Amino acid sequence: MSRMGDVLAGFHAAWEFESDSVLIRYERGIRTPKLFQVLGERRVPLAALQGVTLTHGKRGTVILRAEPRPGADPLLEAAAGQLKEGSDPYRLVLPADKETLAEYYADELRAALTESGPAERYLVAAPDAPRAFKAYDAKASFDGRSVSFRWFWTGASSAKWKAGDQTFAVGDLSGVEWRSPEVFEGYLRLLRRDVAEPPAQADQDPGAVVFGLGYGPVHESLPFAAAVLAAVRSAGVAAVPAAAAPRRDPADIAERIRHLGELHQAGLVTDEEFSSKKAELLAEL
């Protein structure tokens, strides 16, 4: 590995190489993705990585990316592949004139990696609790031991109002399911050990909060989901992957597509959004 304390600075972040880890410090500039600003800095053990790549980017840049092992980082586990490229915390964008230097560090890093495949536990620290954010229908808070949802009368469904405000102990959860607020029908759902089949629609599930325009942004809701997921894992409960969520009823799918079509005809959903969401709904059949 390179000399301890060597630093490679790029746009929005700098990587400091140490004997057993890489310390990533994110900038707080106005152009820096908000997720990076919230993360601040992250120490990534070399044991959490299984590879590194260097590619050419846009407008005279090169991109150095560390590849984490599956299951090593609760933030990426919660994201489940939904993060946009520009918000990837393992991606360092550099000016093209630093390509030779980036190649050197990439080679050094590759030579130091000895692990591969799924990790048995989280090796990268999750965002600290307490955490809170506003969803469209509730305020969600997490104190490290339990998650609470406090419903808003302006957004919560009648089903949620009937169920009342909710508090879930970490030990009663088996995982979380996060659907990015940057796509149609985003939500955060708590997967509960005593509920085999929660309501298919998140707005009807007392164990879920739904996002909307300006509610539950990525930089607030994703670190929240990661913190809960890490707490569930440390409590000794195996997390249930998002793929284990129940499939929707065909009648519900048809109703959703009909409603989506109405939004499309009213000009509230673009052609691209309509086609993309319709395909997602049909895939759930």
Side-chain angles (χ1 to χ4, degrees), residues 32-36 79 81-88 133-134 178-188 209-223 268-270 272-274 276-277 280:
T32 302
K34 289 184 178 180
L35 177 61
F36 292 178
Q82 298 174 76
L83 277 179
K84 291 184 176 179
E85 189 176 69
S87 295
D88 182 350
F133 71 91
K134 286 186 178 180
W178 181 78
R179 183 169 177 80
S180 175
E182 296 179 339
V183 299
F184 192 65
E185 294 185 335
Y187 59 82
L188 171 67
V209 294
V210 298
F211 305 145
L213 186 61
Y215 294 94
V218 170
H219 68 281
E220 294 180 355
S221 61
L222 180 56
L268 299 176
V269 175
T270 66
E272 182 178 354
E273 290 171 334
F274 173 75
S276 175
K277 181 56 184 177
E280 290 178 15

Side-chain angles (χ1 to χ4, degrees), residues 26 33-40 42 73-79 83 87 89 122 124-133 140-144 147 176 178 180-181 188 211 216-231:
Y26 302 100
K34 289 184 178 180
L35 177 61
F36 292 178
Q37 297 183 47
V38 169
L39 294 176
R42 311 188 83 205
D73 185 349
L75 189 81
L76 292 195
E77 287 293 291
L83 277 179
S87 295
Y122 292 138
V124 182
D128 294 331
R131 296 211 158 257
F133 71 91
S141 58
F142 175 54
D143 62 7
V147 181
V176 300
W178 181 78
S180 175
L188 171 67
F211 305 145
V218 170
H219 68 281
E220 294 180 355
S221 61
L222 180 56
F224 184 104
V228 175
L229 192 58

